[in-house]
Every structure is written in C-alpha cells, then in structure tokens.
Amino acid sequence: QRLGAGELMVNCIDCDGKKLGFDLPLLRAIKQAVDIPVIASSGAGHPDHFVAAFQTANVDAALAAGIFHRNEVAIADVKGALRQAGLEPRDL
C-alpha cells in the first residue's frame, strides 16, 4: 500500500485447489492491516465459501476459476447464495 498498490489479490497457495474455502484468518488479518481493497482468491469450492469471505473476512471481492471452468459450481449459484445472505453481487 505504501509502495502504491491499489488493491491486493490474496492467493493462499495452501488452499489453492482444495475447494475447502478461502483462508479466512489470513484474509481478515490482511483486510484489517490495509486500507486498500482486498480480493480473496484460492480455495473456493462451494457458493457458501464466497459468502463466508465477505461476511467473515470483510473482503471487497472474491474470485474463483477452476470450479467455474469445470462446471462444478455455477456462477448463478454463487450469486444466489450471496443474495440470500443479503449481499448484492454485480449483474454482468
């Protein structure tokens, strides 16, 4: 942040590909330490993992790739889970 970063995408290699959820303690610690947006990456395997990232770690964004490319989780299901939790995803 002091060096000019506009946002941080946090990719926890220990969670990557496991589909057990984002590293919420790590994300929460980073979010509390910086004033720039934090993006959660690596570990999502279920729509509820995205909800947890926003509600528990207070991230500004969350992403996944493999689960969507392999059709294991539908983007619409993630957006539905977010809406059910009172979070508003972007409509694209």
Side-chain angles (χ1 to χ4, degrees), residues 6-8 27 30-32 34-40 53-55 57-63 88 90:
E7 63 187 8
L8 295 174
L27 290 165
I30 293 171
K31 184 66 179 160
Q32 290 172 349
V34 300
D35 296 318
I36 57 177
V38 174
I39 304 165
F54 288 107
Q55 290 184 335
N58 198 34
V59 297
D60 300 283
L63 67 88
E88 192 55 41
R90 281 190 239 168

Side-chain angles (χ1 to χ4, degrees), residues 9-80:
M9 185 182 80
V10 181
N11 182 352
C12 179
I13 196 68
D14 293 334
C15 295
D16 196 27
K18 293 184 179 175
K19 301 183 226 172
L20 299 175
F22 299 103
D23 186 337
L24 299 177
L26 174 64
L27 290 165
R28 189 173 33 247
I30 293 171
K31 184 66 179 160
Q32 290 172 349
V34 300
D35 296 318
I36 57 177
V38 174
I39 304 165
S41 177
S42 297
H46 188 274
D48 291 340
H49 294 155
F50 292 86
V51 174
F54 288 107
Q55 290 184 335
T56 303
N58 198 34
V59 297
D60 300 283
L63 67 88
I67 60 171
F68 299 133
H69 295 307
R70 293 185 298 271
N71 295 314
E72 296 169 356
V73 175
I75 294 172
D77 292 343
V78 172
K79 288 186 175 194

